[in-house]
Structure formats: C-alpha cells, structure tokens
Amino acid sequence: LALAPRLLFLAETWEHVEYRPILAGTDTFRFHTTATRLAAGDWALSCEAYEQGPVYPYAIAALYRVLGPEPHAVRVAQALLGAAASLLLFGLARRALPAPFAFAAAALYALYGCAVFEESLLLDPSVLALLYLALAVALARRSEGGGAAWLAAAGLAQGLAIGIRPNAALLLPFSAAALGPALAAPARRPRPAGWLLFAAAVALPIAPFALRNLACGVPALHLSSQGLKVFLASNLPDARGTGWVISPEADALLAQPDLSAGGAVRAVAQAALAHPVDFALLQLRKLHALFASYEIPNVANFYLWRQQSRWLAALPVPFHVIAALALPGLVLAARRREARIPLLLAAGIAAAILPFYVVARFRVPWVPFLCLFAGICLEALARAVQGRDARRIAGVVAGVAVAAALTT
C-alpha cells in the first residue's frame, strides 16, 4: 500500500527534468553539489562551514560513491524509506490501537500525497520521518522492558536527526521525558548508566562532524549556517512566519559580520519585548499554519505538480483529513498511557519546528504522529457506533467538524 504509489510516481516522473537538482540556490541543488564534492573525495569540504545539517549530504555521497552522482538513486532510496516509515508507524500505532485502526493510521500516511511528493526530491523529510518513528518505537520498546540495545537505538536515532536538522536538538527534553520512567530504578531514582548510554548514542553520529569542525577551526557544534538566518527571518515583528521570506529587518541583522547565535536570540527577545502583541500573533500564525490544510511551498509546489501527475493526483489523503481527525485524537490520546511516548515526541517535533518558519517540507516528518492520533479518533468513533452511544458519536463527529473548520 505504501510502496506502490511511490514507485508509480517515480516511474511517471523518472525522466522529468524538474525533479533533478539543477536550479542553483535551492536546497536540492545545494545537497546535490555538496554530496558530489564529498563523493569525489573532498570529505572535509575544504574546511568550509556546513551550510546545513551534514548527515543528509554525507548519506547521499555514500550512494553517489557506489552508483555515481545520480539523483535517481536517491529518489528510489527515499521512496523505500517512505514505505518503511509506514511500517514503523503501524508498529508504533499497534501499541495503542487494535490492528485494524493501527493499519488505518499507517494507511493515512502511506497515501498522504505530500509525503510521496517530498520523498521524490533531494530533500530530507523522508529520512527525518523514519528517524523520528524509529526513536518512538525504540523508546516504546525500552519502556516495555526491552534491553539496552533499544536505548542505544533511541539515542542513535535522536543523534542522526540532530545531524540532519540541528533544530531537532529541541526534541531532546521530550525524548528524555519519554525515557525517564523506563530508566527509573525500583526506588524511582534515575539510573545513571542508562542516561550515559543514551547520551553517548546521541553523541556518536555527531562526533565525527564535531571533530572535523575542531580540526578546521570551526566551532565544534556548528552544524548549519542556515539556522540564524531562518530563526531571525521567522521571528522578528515584520516576519510572516510561514514560507521562506527574509524581511528587511532580518536582512539588516544578517549583514552584521559578527552576528552570533546569542546575538540573534537577543535581537528576537528585544523585538518580542518591544512588540509583544505582534510577536504573540506571529507565533499563533505559525501554530495555525502547522495544523492548517494548505501545504506551504518551499523548494517546490506540491499543488502545481499534483496537477501534472496522474498518480500524485490519485492519492486520496490530503493533510486536511489527517488534521481534522488528529486534533480530536490528540484529546483522546491524552487519556491513554500507551500514547504517552507518541504524544511527547509529537510535542517535541512541533517545538522544533515552531521557533522557525512553517512549510510543508518541515511538517512532513511530524505527520506520521498525527496519523496515529487520527487512528485513535477513528477507533473512538467506531466504538461509539458499535455501542450505539449517540452522545459519544455526536461528540466525536462534532470534534472532527470543529477541527476541520479550524484547520481550513
């Protein structure tokens, strides 16, 4: 169910030049050219600062090293990762839902058109979605009594996610909160060895890049040059918060040669204190955009390409359906112990997106968790129908209707 639409879409667009990373200045072009340099042997990138999280271009470079600099290989690999993500989602959902509704949750993601589209570009959402789901499954297995290998797997998934998008570090407190009960001793005291193992596993994928940075005279944890630009562009009072637009105020700050991360945070804090209402409204716009039905374009426009693709247009699940079911599902999930880990990680992923700007590409790795909550909503509705509980049926249907209106 997940693999077929991805392969059909790949076959349909195999020779389309639009899916090749040829437009200079775009992230797809930047990832491709960086991976080509790496595969050609420039593994240190001539000691240049990393433009974006290094794990993804190094992963592409490994493919290029074996198969040559062929973007088609990346597109095929990402289609397979998308299908694997649907399987992981089923495994995660099965812990909170009966099999039919866990399947429904996975099917929502498998047939979600924007995910299929993003996976066909040289961009990182498919990898990040898989890592977030792997993190959730590993944390769930550990909480069920799994061994240290699951703890190490959770740390590796978290570390790789940070290496792909450094803002995924904002997910760490939520991962730690999910892990805490599993690492508590019988006396409810934390076990230091478990925390050390998790921390070491998180650090392991990042360490080679930190060491390279130190050897090149770059700050050890400088994993992306884009972070300051995106943070300023999406949080100053004249920012839109959605889509990629650099405001004049952000442009002026970025022109300062000695601007640091601390300086950027101070500038945003000062602007927020000077214009608190505008800043609050900006954050609310971003929160609404995170749940809203429109897939905000970034590198490519999903809606434009859906008009030109028979297979992409045939995919039946838009984000609006997922969001309308997921919001009531979030409320219902709060009462379920089995949904604690997905709830924490979904909150953490949202917390990693909202300080920056919201676009479809950044939202896609978060969507599998919304599909799980949508499955919880469908199960509640089915139980109410089966029990002929008119009041509960009306409550769930009203919740879905309100969510659909709020996310339009």
Side-chain angles (χ1 to χ4, degrees):
L1 184 65
L3 188 58
R6 285 160 170 79
L7 294 181
L8 288 168
F9 180 60
L10 274 178
E12 182 185 36
T13 58
W14 191 257
E15 298 299 334
H16 286 209
V17 70
E18 294 88 351
Y19 289 91
R20 290 183 172 274
I22 58 174
L23 186 59
T26 62
D27 287 341
T28 54
F29 180 82
R30 190 178 296 114
F31 282 136
H32 172 68
T33 53
T34 301
T36 301
R37 287 177 60 189
L38 291 167
D42 186 9
W43 293 106
L45 293 176
S46 302
C47 279
E48 298 168 8
Y50 292 125
E51 281 286 323
Q52 291 169 297
V55 166
Y56 183 66
Y58 275 86
I60 297 175
L63 278 177
Y64 284 1
R65 187 78 174 181
V66 175
L67 302 173
E70 178 48 68
H72 285 322
V74 182
R75 297 184 70 202
V76 172
Q78 291 181 172
L80 297 175
L81 292 182
S86 297
L87 292 174
L88 275 182
L89 175 55
F90 175 79
L92 181 64
R94 190 67 185 85
R95 289 165 166 79
L97 289 166
F101 297 99
F103 179 83
L108 285 173
Y109 187 69
L111 301 175
Y112 169 46
C114 193
V116 175
F117 175 68
E118 292 288 344
E119 291 161 12
S120 72
L121 303 169
L122 258 71
L123 296 171
D124 52 23
S126 59
V127 186
L128 209 55
L130 188 72
L131 288 172
Y132 285 154
L133 286 165
L135 171 61
V137 170
L139 289 173
R141 285 292 292 117
R142 176 63 181 179
S143 71
E144 294 162 357
W150 290 107
L151 185 58
L156 286 171
Q158 175 73 75
L160 286 167
I162 294 171
I164 289 175
R165 286 195 200 153
N167 61 308
L170 296 172
L171 179 59
L172 268 172
F174 298 87
S175 299
L179 192 56
L183 292 184
R188 310 309 296 170
R189 292 192 302 270
R191 291 175 173 167
W195 288 112
L196 286 173
L197 175 59
F198 179 70
V202 171
L204 185 62
I206 303 169
F209 308 111
L211 292 172
R212 173 266 187 195
N213 281 347
L214 290 174
C216 292
V218 178
L221 295 180
H222 183 99
L223 300 180
S224 172
S225 299
Q226 298 292 313
L228 287 183
K229 182 187 297 184
V230 174
F231 180 70
L232 285 172
S234 56
N235 284 291
L236 292 174
D238 57 352
R240 282 181 9 190
T242 58
W244 175 233
V245 178
I246 299 183
S247 66
E249 187 176 357
D251 204 31
L253 283 167
L254 290 167
Q256 298 177 11
D258 56 347
L259 181 66
S260 64
V265 171
R266 281 193 300 273
V268 169
Q270 289 168 0
L273 291 172
H275 306 278
V277 175
D278 290 341
F279 184 76
L281 290 174
L282 171 62
Q283 304 311 313
L284 286 174
R285 286 199 302 274
K286 289 198 281 185
L287 181 61
H288 177 262
L290 193 62
F291 286 94
S293 58
Y294 183 60
E295 303 284 9
I296 301 172
N298 181 228
V299 172
N301 189 315
F302 164 68
Y303 299 106
L304 176 64
W305 294 113
R306 189 178 63 176
Q307 291 174 4
Q308 303 180 36
S309 166
R310 176 180 58 180
W311 293 114
L312 200 58
L315 291 172
V317 180
F319 183 81
H320 202 188
V321 169
I322 296 171
L325 293 170
L327 282 173
L330 277 166
V331 177
L332 295 166
R335 304 175 185 176
R336 301 191 182 201
R337 182 176 175 274
E338 301 86 354
R340 183 181 65 87
I341 289 173
L343 279 169
L344 281 168
L345 293 189
I349 296 166
I353 297 171
L354 289 172
F356 305 92
Y357 61 89
V358 179
V359 293
R361 168 189 164 194
F362 294 165
R363 185 170 70 176
V364 163
W366 182 60
V367 172
F369 294 88
L370 296 186
C371 292
L372 190 156
F373 303 136
I376 290 175
C377 179
L378 290 172
E379 186 214 15
L381 181 59
R383 285 184 182 275
V385 170
Q386 187 177 25
R388 298 182 180 180
D389 187 341
R391 184 176 178 181
R392 191 165 180 80
I393 292 171
V396 175
V397 170
V400 172
V402 170
L406 290 175
T407 55
T408 298

